[in-house]
Structures are given as structure tokens and as C-alpha cells.
Amino acid sequence: MAVEIKVPALGESVTEATVAKWLVKAGDKVAVDQPLCELETDKVTVEVNASVAGTIADLAVEEGASVQVGGVLCHIEASAGAASAPAPKPAAAPAPAAPKPAAAPAPAAAPAGANLAASGPAARKLAEEKGVSAAAIQPTGKDGRATKEDVLAALSSIPSAAAPAAKPAAPAGPRLKADREERVKMTRLRRTIANRLKEAQNTAAMLTTFNEVDMTAVMGLRERLKDDFEKKHGARLGFMSFFVKACIAGLKELPAVNAEIEGEEIVYKNYYDIGVAVGSPQGLVVPVLRDADTLDFAGIEKGIGDLGRKARDGKLSIADLTGGTFTISNGGVYGSLMSTPILNPPQSAILGMHKIQQRPMVVGGEIKARPMMYLALSYDHRIIDGREAVLFLVKVKEGIEDPERLLLGV
């Protein structure tokens, strides 16, 4: 009996994915839970596993094709011994509830569906600026109201409109060295990154302020205690935990840096979910360390380590990537001496860490070589004043240069 393998639920508001890579081919024998393919969404890459043991009868879609949630990916001819295994599959028979993709035709009803007039100001403004029609938006709010996320989802699902705009660049004329060039289609994740970065520049009044921090105290503390720390907690003591602690101290003192603008309102967040920008094979991602203010140094280092491994292995979930209140990006690990990081919407600020470099500094009236790091805070000037941005960086600087402050909470 042939068993259909369908696109699983991919997270709230995610209705479409791209088949990034097939791990099997027609005729291959597979075991239960064996990975069959990788699906790439706007945010993460997920694996789809075999629900039964048997032989791949056919692949219903090719690599690079777009698929809807609930759509058929392939068929498995279940082996005789696996006849009992399909029993769990009927449990997946709620997958016929994957007639939710039949709900995907709801976009057809969307011509009248997205009630922009009744939607929030943030959603209306974004839709107007980007030229997204109500018919293209799948609303998730009550009575057809669209959220800002619904508009963003509609934007990312219309790459076909953006693609033709890019096409004319090729026919515009012969390229002199076309034979030495390579054209690669942008991945769904890369398109989403591009859209979000451009959105940040278009919607926020972005400004960056700088400071520098003497890393002597933190480096000395780390050098003295790193072996004992790793032995006791099973995690390496890095610099990131100190910066997370220092940033949280600054966010508590200057709540506007942890806030966001929604329509005509400022939303102040009394929780601290810190996004940590990390590189992955698919591009830059920002997994979130939840309630970081409740974690000790070991908890922060373990949490960041786990998120980094998941990013490298392509195991991050939608939940890992959503809901951050403030982001820290460490370009120093790649050798960056200074940069102006771009905001991670809808957050209002992001801290950029950079390379530690020995520089001559005046200390106690004498010139001494000190390990210095430039810090950059990019922020939305609509909500954060220059005074608050400078004071935030000063607070971070104080915590790093005198780490006892972080331990005592002063």
C-alpha cells in the first residue's frame, strides 16, 4: 500500500516551503523516521522523516519547488512487515485535516478576506508602503484583520513579483564576462533576510552610536576561572555571558531600548528575550535566549551553545527565532573592527561587538597597551533618544570594565 508523505505543519503563519534537498530517490528503501528531504521556510530548515518503512515509490515534487502545508511530497510503498507501522500513520490521518491546505484556498477568499481598514495601523502602513493588496494577505486576526506579520508573510510569498524586476538586468545587454559568472537562485531564507533588512532601513529612523570598552578585567577573570567554570558547569566561559548580563542591566535602567513601536503606541517589555546573531549554512539567523535575566552565567553560556549548535545543524525551530526583545551581534569573531549593525524588526536596538585589539591607552597618566573593543549600538531614533543610547552603552561599558557590578547587580 502506498503511503503519502505530506508537508507537515511548519509553524504559525507559515503556509509554504521550498524543497531544498532530497535525501532519497525513487526506489530507495527507507526505515521509519529516516530523513527524506529538507524543507526551507522563511526562517528555518526542517527535515521530513518517513512515517513507515518501505520503498520510495516516487517523488511528487522536485528540488527547488514550492510546496504548501499538507501537500504531497512523495509516496512510500510500505513493506509487509511495516503493515503495523502505518497504524501510527492513521494517527497522522488527521493529516487529512491537512485539508488546511484546502484552507490555503482561503487566499482565494482573501480577495475580500484581509480587512485592512479594520486592521492595526502598523499592518495598514506596511501594506500601503509595500503596495500589498488586501487580496494577497491571509489574515490571522479576528474578523479578517491582518497583523504586521501577515503583511510580511504576504510580501515573502510574492517573490515572483520581485523576480521579474530583477530579470531585466540580464536582458539589458550582453555581459562581457558572462562565461565566468555563475547565477544561483536566492534561497527563501536569503530573500527573507533581504526583505527584513530593507524593511528595517525603510521604516526605522536608524542611528548608530559608538563607545569602546577595556576588556582587561573580563579577560583576566575569564583566564583565572575558565577551567573551574567548565569543570563545574560543563560549558565554556566566553565573553558573551558578560555582555548579555551587561546589556540586561542597561535594558532595565533604560526600558526604551527594550521597547518597540506598534502603530501609535510604544510597547514596553518587562521581560528580556535576547537574540544572539549566529552564522548558519543557510545565512545569518538570530535565535532567542528566553528570559535571559533569570539565567546565571552558566545558564547563558549553555543556552547560547545549544542555540549555536542547532543553527549549524539546521535544527532551529520557528519558536527559537521569534519574539526577541533585543539583539547582540558579535562581528568580532570574524575579525570586524567596527560596523553599524542593522536593526532586527520589530526590535528597536541592536548591540554590535567587535574584535579585541591591543591599543595604546592612557591609564593613570601613563600610556599602556590595553585589549580594547569597539561597541556599536544601532537604534530607532523614533523611540530612543541619543541620551538614552549613550547612557545604555556607558552602562554596558561599566559592567564589562568592572564585572563585579554584574555579579552584585549594581
Side-chain angles (χ1 to χ4, degrees):
M1 178 183 74
V3 176
E4 291 182 337
I5 303 298
K6 297 183 177 182
V7 179
L10 300 169
E12 185 180 355
S13 80
V14 180
T15 60
E16 189 180 53
T18 299
V19 180
K21 183 180 181 181
W22 276 108
L23 305 175
V24 295
K25 59 182 182 296
D28 285 357
K29 293 190 178 302
V30 294
V32 175
D33 290 333
Q34 178 177 333
L36 303 177
C37 69
E38 294 178 354
L39 298 181
E40 184 182 73
T41 71
D42 293 343
K43 297 180 179 180
V44 294
T45 298
V46 296
E47 284 185 348
V48 178
N49 299 330
S51 57
V52 296
T55 304
I56 301 293
D58 63 67
L59 306 182
V61 291
E62 298 179 351
E63 282 188 6
S66 294
V67 290
Q68 298 287 327
V69 171
V72 177
L73 291 167
C74 66
H75 295 87
I76 297 178
E77 197 64 45
S79 57
S84 56
K89 180 57 181 162
K100 287 194 173 179
N115 187 353
L116 285 177
S119 301
R124 290 201 307 273
K125 182 179 178 184
L126 183 60
E128 289 171 8
E129 288 177 348
K130 303 296 183 182
V132 182
S133 67
I137 303 171
Q138 297 183 42
T140 58
K142 186 178 179 182
D143 299 327
R145 294 181 185 137
T147 65
K148 186 177 178 181
E149 287 69 27
D150 296 335
V151 180
L152 290 172
L155 270 173
S156 62
S157 66
I158 323 175
S160 51
K167 296 280 186 194
R175 298 178 66 89
L176 295 178
K177 298 184 179 180
D179 59 323
R180 295 166 62 185
E181 296 176 340
E182 179 184 3
R183 290 180 181 270
V184 179
K185 184 179 179 182
M186 290 176 71
T187 64
R188 183 180 295 272
L189 177 61
R190 176 53 61 187
R191 291 200 306 269
T192 301
I193 291 172
N195 288 337
R196 286 178 61 80
L197 292 179
K198 191 58 186 168
E199 179 211 345
Q201 289 184 319
N202 291 343
T203 59
M206 247 194 320
L207 189 62
T208 303
T209 189
F210 301 92
N211 210 321
E212 60 181 348
V213 59
D214 187 339
M215 298 291 290
T216 302
V218 164
M219 291 176 72
L221 178 61
R222 178 175 178 267
E223 188 61 34
R224 289 197 313 275
L225 300 177
K226 65 179 182 180
D227 292 337
D228 292 339
F229 184 91
E230 186 168 0
K231 194 177 298 181
K232 180 171 182 178
H233 299 293
R236 294 182 60 189
L237 178 60
F239 296 124
M240 189 60 80
S241 53
F242 290 95
F243 277 94
V244 169
K245 286 285 188 183
C247 285
I248 291 172
L251 295 173
K252 288 183 175 180
E253 196 163 295
L254 299 150
V257 185
N258 200 48
E260 70 176 74
I261 292 178
E262 188 174 272
E264 298 180 356
E265 297 178 329
I266 299 175
V267 182
Y268 290 97
K269 302 166 187 175
N270 299 314
Y271 54 93
Y272 306 90
D273 292 344
I274 307 299
V276 181
V278 296
S280 76
Q282 290 76 36
L284 183 72
V285 292
V286 187
V288 178
L289 192 64
R290 305 288 174 191
D291 295 315
D293 58 315
T294 66
L295 302 175
D296 59 12
F297 281 80
I300 292 173
E301 291 293 353
K302 289 177 181 176
I304 291 174
D306 289 343
L307 291 172
R309 281 188 291 275
K310 290 171 74 174
R312 288 190 295 272
D313 297 340
K315 303 294 185 183
L316 288 172
S317 66
I318 298 292
D320 291 324
L321 296 166
T322 54
T325 64
F326 180 83
T327 293
I328 301 175
S329 177
N330 185 5
V333 296
Y334 303 110
S336 171
L337 185 61
M338 185 179 287
S339 66
T340 55
I342 296 179
L343 295 179
N344 183 22
Q347 297 170 26
S348 296
I350 177 173
L351 179 77
M353 297 166 55
H354 298 92
K355 178 183 178 182
I356 300 172
Q357 189 175 61
Q358 290 282 337
R359 292 203 295 274
M361 304 295 293
V362 178
V363 182
E366 299 180 3
I367 297 178
K368 297 183 178 180
R370 289 288 199 175
M372 304 298 294
M373 176 193 287
Y374 288 118
L375 298 179
L377 181 76
S378 290
Y379 59 97
D380 189 344
H381 211 345
R382 296 177 303 166
I383 182 174
I384 301 170
D385 295 329
R387 169 186 168 277
E388 292 168 311
V390 171
L391 289 178
F392 175 84
L393 275 185
V394 168
K395 186 70 176 178
V396 173
K397 176 182 172 72
E398 290 175 348
I400 298 301
E401 293 186 343
D402 187 3
E404 291 176 352
R405 289 176 171 273
L406 304 179
L407 299 174
L408 298 176
V410 297

